[in-house]
């Protein structure tokens, strides 16, 4: 099986309502969908959803890197040679993990289709009985967040992820308001998204919400401050999760050596796809760390990829693959039954791409073929 063409679709996925986190407000999600065709007639789909604040890649740069730098070099490659494909991509360009993830996901979709297996069977099989998703709540006024949480409970959600990281006193009120709204036993995870600038600011918030019994605090320091995470971990019993500060093996090595965190948030866009993600999962398992698979608010393509990984690895104990629930239009359909999401056992990603919908959201298109 050889790759004969790679099509790129620069899409903007419309959000039902704006998504507000400490460093940005999104009204829609720019993403790059890739369609990889092989000489056997099989077609695989991948997706790269860039977050310039996290990996330094933009919508435009991801499209350009795929069209000019990575894509042409992969024509003629066998998608099964995923280790070599990553080696080649890493030799061609440093970083650019979102662009690499798009190719990686399409290769796994093709491997699954070629072997007639869902991707999770290529990664370890069904390690979990079911996959549950949390309700993710944007940064808003405390009472608005509390009302959203109550409404979500009535819709069937069993856990929450709160976005905070603006004014520290307001953040305390946000966490308290949601805890009061949902009762004492519903799991609440809190993500500061680097919004607190010093470890003392983080500790101030954490000490004032200790009775709220949050599951963990995610990225309570700026991304580069791994020592700050370690300091917070040593000062509180609230488990600490790294997200923006962890991309690939370099940071993974550092957090393990320093014993800086309790949990890691893996995103395919930060590490370069499923293949490098499995390396992170195995290192985490070795070091006794628990994993989550998060997302950049991706369409059903990259979300499905993350779900296959989540299902296959026992060390991955949570996921936040809720992008498809936030879009008013998508390129495929994933089977959410709140609070669960069910993966199909069809080959590859196990999703049906709606080409019409894909085209209707496409702002830029390019096809790479052998010259
Ligand atoms: Mg996060």
């Amino acid at each position: 099986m050889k790759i004969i063409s790679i099509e790129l679709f620069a899409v903007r996925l419309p959000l039902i309502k704006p998504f507000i986190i400490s460093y940005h407000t999104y009204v829609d999600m720019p993403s790059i969908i890739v369609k990889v065709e092989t000489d056997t007639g099989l077609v695989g789909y991948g997706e790269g959803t860039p977050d310039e604040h996290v990996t330094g890649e933009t919508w435009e740069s991801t499209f350009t890197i795929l069209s000019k730098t990575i894509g042409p070099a992969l024509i003629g490659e066998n998608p099964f040679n995923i280790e070599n494909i990553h080696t080649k991509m890493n030799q061609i360009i440093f970083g650019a993990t979102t662009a690499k993830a798009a190719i990686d996901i399409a290769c796994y979709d093709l491997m699954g289709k070629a072997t007639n297996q869902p991707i999770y069977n290529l990664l370890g099989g069904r390690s979990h009985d079911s996959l549950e998703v949390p309700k993710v709540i944007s940064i808003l006024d405390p009472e608005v967040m509390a009302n959203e949480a109550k409404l979500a409970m009535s819709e069937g959600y069993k856990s929450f992820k709160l976005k905070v990281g603006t004014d520290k006193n307001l953040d305390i009120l946000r966490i308290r308001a949601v805890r009061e709204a949902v009762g004492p036993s519903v799991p609440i995870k809190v993500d500061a998204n680097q919004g607190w600038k010093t470890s003392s600011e983080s500790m101030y918030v954490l000490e004032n919400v200790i009775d709220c019994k949050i599951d963990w605090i995610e990225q309570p320091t700026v991304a580069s401050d791994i020592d700050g995470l370690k300091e917070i971990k040593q000062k509180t019993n609230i488990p600490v999760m790294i997200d923006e500060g962890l991309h690939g093996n370099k940071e993974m090595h550092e957090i393990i050596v320093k014993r800086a965190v309790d949990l890691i948030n893996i995103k395919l866009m930060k590490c370069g796809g499923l293949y490098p993600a499995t390396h992170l999962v195995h290192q985490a398992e070795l070091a006794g760390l628990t994993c989550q698979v998060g997302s950049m608010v991706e369409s059903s393509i990259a979300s499905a990829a993350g779900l296959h990984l989540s299902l296959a690895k026992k060390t991955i104990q949570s996921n936040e693959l809720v992008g498809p629930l936030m879009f008013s239009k998508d390129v495929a359909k994933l089977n959410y039954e709140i609070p669960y999401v069910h993966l199909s056992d069809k080959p590859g990603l196990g999703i049906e791409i709606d080409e019409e919908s894909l085209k209707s959201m496409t702002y830029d298109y390019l096809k790479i073929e052998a010259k």
Side-chain angles (χ1 to χ4, degrees):
M1 183 164 64
K2 283 199 174 96
I3 295 172
I4 57 168
S5 73
I6 301 172
E7 287 172 81
L8 306 176
F9 303 81
V11 300
R12 298 190 81 91
L13 294 141
L15 285 159
I16 296 166
K17 58 182 177 182
F19 180 48
I20 310 157
I21 63 174
S22 74
Y23 58 76
H24 202 81
T25 296
Y26 298 88
V27 291
D28 61 12
M29 279 293 165
S31 193
I32 309 291
I33 309 291
V34 303
K35 180 179 175 183
V36 178
E37 196 185 350
T38 66
D39 60 350
T40 62
L42 287 177
V43 168
Y45 288 89
E47 178 179 17
T49 309
D51 184 335
E52 60 269 40
H53 306 278
V54 178
T55 73
E57 296 163 282
T58 64
W59 192 42
E60 294 84 358
S61 77
T62 305
F63 191 85
T64 303
I65 287 166
L66 282 165
S67 62
K68 307 260 191 242
T69 314
I70 293 178
L74 299 179
I75 301 296
E77 289 288 335
N78 180 345
F80 275 103
N81 294 340
I82 192 72
E83 170 115 1
N84 275 341
I85 286 173
H86 276 283
T87 301
K88 196 166 189 178
M89 291 197 291
N90 291 338
Q91 281 167 348
I92 292 170
I93 187 166
F94 174 80
T97 47
T98 301
K100 290 170 184 170
I103 297 292
D104 169 282
I105 294 167
C107 287
Y108 272 92
D109 191 26
L110 284 163
M111 285 186 245
K113 285 168 175 165
T115 55
N116 212 22
Q117 294 294 327
I119 290 172
Y120 63 76
N121 273 351
L122 308 178
L123 299 174
R126 283 185 173 267
S127 272
H128 300 281
D129 296 332
S130 59
L131 294 172
E132 193 179 319
V133 292
K135 175 69 181 181
V136 180
I137 299 183
S138 285
I139 302 179
L140 294 160
D141 288 339
E143 53 282 11
V144 179
M145 291 175 78
N147 285 337
E148 278 201 18
K150 266 191 214 162
L151 180 66
M153 293 261 291
S154 71
E155 291 166 356
Y157 285 98
K158 301 263 189 283
S159 64
F160 291 90
K161 155 88 165 243
L162 308 187
K163 292 293 191 179
V164 297
T166 58
D167 173 79
K168 60 184 189 292
N169 287 307
L170 204 48
D171 286 337
I172 293 168
L173 296 177
R174 290 180 171 118
I175 297 166
R176 303 199 76 84
V178 173
R179 173 51 82 202
E180 273 168 36
V182 301
S185 56
V186 175
I188 297 177
K189 309 133 196 333
V190 179
D191 189 355
N193 281 110
Q194 316 177 61
W196 303 327
K197 296 305 173 202
T198 62
S199 54
S200 58
E201 197 179 348
S202 306
M203 284 309 302
Y204 174 82
V205 178
L206 296 178
E207 281 170 0
N208 278 284
V209 298
I210 200 77
D211 58 318
C212 292
K213 299 200 185 323
I214 62 174
D215 276 30
W216 64 69
I217 180 66
E218 182 173 339
Q219 202 61 56
T221 65
V222 293
S224 57
D225 190 7
I226 287 178
D227 291 305
L229 290 175
K230 179 178 179 171
E231 196 184 328
I232 293 166
K233 180 174 174 269
Q234 287 172 334
K235 285 181 178 168
T236 176
N237 288 328
I238 298 172
V240 176
M241 175 184 274
I242 187 168
D243 180 0
E244 291 96 311
L246 170 71
H247 292 247
N249 289 333
K250 181 174 177 286
E251 299 85 9
M252 194 66 196
H253 177 74
E254 186 179 349
I255 61 168
I256 290 173
V257 169
K258 290 183 173 168
R259 301 181 67 87
V261 296
D262 303 281
L263 308 111
I264 66 168
N265 194 351
I266 296 170
K267 289 178 179 164
L268 302 182
M269 304 306 146
K270 291 187 300 177
C271 68
L274 290 165
Y275 190 71
T278 58
H279 294 183
L280 295 178
V281 173
H282 296 150
Q283 290 175 80
E285 192 170 359
L286 199 68
L289 301 170
T290 300
C291 307
Q292 164 165 282
V293 177
S295 91
M296 300 298 194
V297 187
E298 299 143 5
S299 86
S300 287
I301 296 176
S303 298
L307 288 167
H308 280 275
L309 179 68
S310 302
L311 192 67
K313 301 290 177 192
K314 63 179 182 296
T315 313
I316 299 173
Q317 293 184 3
S318 60
N319 79 80
E320 288 175 3
L321 296 156
V322 296
L325 294 167
M326 296 163 71
F327 297 126
S328 56
K329 197 172 183 182
D330 200 345
V331 294
K333 201 169 161 33
L334 273 169
N335 183 12
Y336 288 90
E337 192 182 8
I338 300 304
Y340 301 106
V341 53
H342 308 293
L343 266 184
S344 129
D345 58 4
K346 290 192 186 125
L349 290 166
I351 51 173
E352 219 45 68
I353 302 299
D354 182 340
E355 293 265 353
E356 282 310 305
S357 185
L358 172 60
K359 279 181 192 139
S360 74
M361 291 185 281
T362 297
Y363 287 74
D364 205 354
Y365 168 84
L366 192 107
K367 185 170 185 176
I368 306 156
E369 289 174 284
K371 286 195 187 105

